[in-house]
Amino acid sequence: MNALERLNACLRGIERRLRLLALWRGLAALAATALGATVLLVLLADRFAFSSASLTAAAWLLYLALALAAGLALALPLVRLNARRAAARAERSLP
């Protein structure tokens, strides 16, 4: 294994760890959004005595909040992460 192969292996490892970190952060944001939106929507539905319309609206709003959180906090960071960005982040951390 020459120096270039070792460097590429190191960069692949860094990228893999950054992807895992982005995945866990996204899942944490998704869980926090689910909890916060659920509590808020239950309080809102309670104001309308848990009517059928309020429960339907709350369910749709919860789905929308989870879809936005999954897209912004989970999918977007994973899609944007590539070998070049991983190398740049590694160089910023350990110059």
Side-chain angles (χ1 to χ4, degrees):
M1 183 182 265
N2 62 21
L4 183 60
E5 289 172 350
R6 284 193 308 247
L7 177 63
N8 284 333
C10 180
L11 287 176
R12 280 192 305 271
I14 290 170
E15 185 180 3
R16 185 175 50 248
R17 286 190 296 274
L18 288 175
R19 282 193 184 279
L20 190 60
L21 178 65
L23 176 70
W24 282 111
R25 283 183 177 175
L27 289 174
L30 189 63
T33 300
L35 178 64
T38 300
V39 169
L40 182 69
L41 290 170
V42 165
L43 292 174
L44 188 63
D46 184 40
R47 305 269 289 150
F48 294 102
F50 293 102
S51 67
S52 177
S54 69
L55 290 178
T56 303
W60 281 105
L61 287 173
L62 181 61
Y63 296 146
L64 178 66
L66 291 177
L68 285 173
L72 294 176
L74 191 60
L76 189 63
L78 288 174
V79 169
R80 291 181 59 197
L81 185 64
N82 58 20
R84 179 172 287 161
R85 288 182 192 247
R89 185 161 176 194
E91 286 176 358
R92 277 193 313 258
S93 298
L94 302 167

